[in-house]
Amino acid sequence: MRVITFGTFDVFHVGHVNILERARALGDELYVGVSSDKLNYSKKGRPPIYSEHDRIRIIDALSCVDFVFLEESLEQKPDYIQQYHADILVMGDDWQGQFDELSDLCQIKYLPRTPSISTTEIIEVVRHIEPEEE
Ligand code: CTP
């Protein structure tokens, strides 16, 4: 069974590795669509911290990941699912219900997010760290 999932995976953190490992455990192969810098900008209104090149490089280095590709548009999910012959689409439950219309193409599974961590939160925390006085 081939599993496919999508995400930005910017400022890679433990929530990312958790969902990728759990997605991989649902099948025999994991394909990951990493959203392009352009798509990320249109989705989140800011450029990612890490470039698409570096985000792909990081995801590709994980032992739970078999293949990585660039996700150029959210609307192309059905095309990617068919192009890569995916059997299961995994998304975090922040997307609960939003991809149910693709269930004629493959199984859809929403996995619970890891609590208390996100890229946006990490960026906010780092932004507000005051330099220590000497
Ligand atoms: N994810 C997760 N647990 C978290 C954070 C993310 O399971 N704590 C999952 C998301 O549900 C998604 C994948 O990781 O399936 C990639 O999410 P992404 O949007 O790249 O990460 P976030 O940390 O949610 O980024 P942001 O804060 O910018 O939205």
Side-chain angles (χ1 to χ4, degrees):
M1 293 280 255
R2 183 173 292 167
V3 183
I4 195 167
T5 193
F6 297 87
T8 306
F9 303 104
D10 191 22
V11 189
F12 194 76
H13 60 68
V14 72
H16 294 148
V17 82
N18 285 342
I19 198 160
L20 291 172
E21 286 187 343
R22 282 180 293 157
R24 172 63 178 76
L26 293 173
D28 316 298
E29 284 182 304
L30 179 60
Y31 280 41
V32 182
V34 170
S35 60
S36 68
D37 291 343
K38 213 169 136 193
L39 173 56
N40 195 75
Y41 194 86
S42 68
K43 226 168 44 172
K44 301 189 176 172
R46 59 166 171 79
I49 304 290
Y50 298 167
S51 70
E52 62 193 28
H53 175 270
D54 288 0
R55 289 181 288 115
I56 285 177
R57 171 90 182 84
I58 290 166
I59 301 299
D60 200 33
L62 300 173
S63 59
C64 61
V65 172
D66 297 283
F67 183 74
V68 186
F69 60 95
L70 194 65
E71 181 191 22
E72 309 250 26
S73 122
L74 294 178
E75 289 72 42
Q76 272 176 266
K77 280 202 178 54
D79 304 328
Y80 295 126
I81 289 168
Q82 290 177 93
Q83 179 183 347
Y84 295 120
H85 305 286
D87 301 295
I88 309 173
L89 168 65
V90 166
M91 299 296 294
D93 64 0
D94 43 329
W95 295 96
Q96 187 69 45
Q98 292 187 54
F99 294 98
D100 290 356
E101 74 272 15
L102 302 178
S103 59
D104 49 338
L105 297 178
C106 65
Q107 289 179 51
I108 319 289
K109 286 208 193 293
Y110 302 97
L111 298 183
R113 281 170 68 92
T114 301
S116 315
I117 189 158
S118 76
T119 298
T120 305
E121 218 178 285
I122 294 167
I123 294 170
E124 283 305 306
V125 168
V126 172
R127 189 171 279 156
H128 291 105
I129 292 175
E130 299 285 341
E132 271 185 44
E133 283 181 31
E134 299 268 315

